[in-house]
Amino acid sequence: ADKYAKRHPMSDGAAMVLDVVRCSVICPTEEQLMLLLELFSDSRFTIVRLKNLFVSSGLDAAHYRRLMLNVAVELPSNASDGGMVVHLCEVQLFVAGIYYFKEQNAHLSHGPYEYFRSLLKTELKDVLESSGRWMELDQRMKQLGSITQVPVTLALLVVVMEDASGAGRPTP
């Protein structure tokens, strides 16, 4: 909640957290994933947010395609008045092949993340102090954006980085 404290100071950011309860549902096929989405739409759950990470504009850095739902679930409260309480939960809907690839190849997504995070961490102070280097950073970020839009080029980048790292050469 700390990262949300500035956005919602009255709750120290806690009001911004939408995924305290989270689960993943693995569907054997795309068709079954869509049927499950329909069930969520026609049930006692209320979909309050849907992120479609199957479309390119919604891809996360690791390119694991899925649907992410925030659902409101109304349940009886423990209060004696017989009232109801609403819980917000995150539900991630995966197609089995994508989910199991993600589980078996976690190193493919975390390696590039760590590399670019360390690169930016060590060079960011220099970039901020030298306005001429903003263009270099902007160009690197645009190149990285292009690379991450295509899973094959992202995988190729990982292979190149692993090879350079294993041979003791500087990574690109």
Side-chain angles (χ1 to χ4, degrees):
D2 291 340
K3 69 181 181 178
Y4 299 116
K6 289 180 184 174
R7 291 173 56 195
H8 200 277
M10 291 175 56
S11 69
D12 289 328
M16 301 297 295
V17 178
L18 298 176
D19 60 355
V20 174
V21 176
R22 179 186 308 165
C23 73
S24 295
V25 179
I26 305 162
C27 301
T29 66
E30 294 88 350
E31 292 80 13
Q32 290 175 333
L33 183 139
M34 294 308 295
L35 287 172
L36 184 58
L37 180 60
E38 285 180 35
L39 289 174
F40 271 105
S41 300
D42 296 335
S43 68
R44 67 182 182 146
F45 300 102
T46 302
I47 298 174
V48 294
R49 182 171 69 172
L50 183 142
K51 286 186 181 179
N52 183 354
L53 298 176
F54 283 96
V55 296
S56 61
S57 64
L59 289 176
D60 60 338
H63 290 270
Y64 296 121
R65 288 163 170 80
R66 64 193 183 278
L67 291 179
M68 290 177 43
L69 313 173
N70 285 109
V71 296
V73 183
E74 192 173 358
L75 300 168
S77 73
N78 289 334
S80 60
D81 64 2
M84 302 295 278
V85 63
V86 175
H87 292 277
L88 290 177
C89 310
E90 181 179 282
V91 180
Q92 296 188 20
L93 304 179
F94 284 92
V95 174
I98 295 170
Y99 180 83
Y100 292 121
F101 178 85
K102 172 189 163 199
E103 290 296 305
Q104 295 167 358
N105 297 284
H107 65 284
L108 292 178
S109 60
H110 201 66
Y113 167 79
E114 287 296 327
Y115 169 75
F116 286 105
R117 181 176 174 206
S118 67
L119 178 70
L120 287 174
K121 191 180 243 184
T122 58
E123 294 186 12
L124 191 55
K125 185 175 182 210
D126 293 339
V127 170
L128 290 173
E129 292 173 357
S130 169
S131 61
R133 295 203 59 208
W134 273 111
M135 294 300 288
E136 180 183 335
L137 178 62
D138 185 54
Q139 183 179 15
R140 282 186 188 183
M141 296 308 291
K142 285 179 182 173
Q143 289 171 341
L144 179 60
S146 296
I147 288 169
T148 60
Q149 290 300 311
V150 180
V152 173
T153 58
L154 179 60
L156 181 59
L157 175 64
V158 171
V159 169
V160 168
M161 290 173 48
E162 286 177 345
D163 181 58
S165 171
R169 296 188 304 263
T171 52

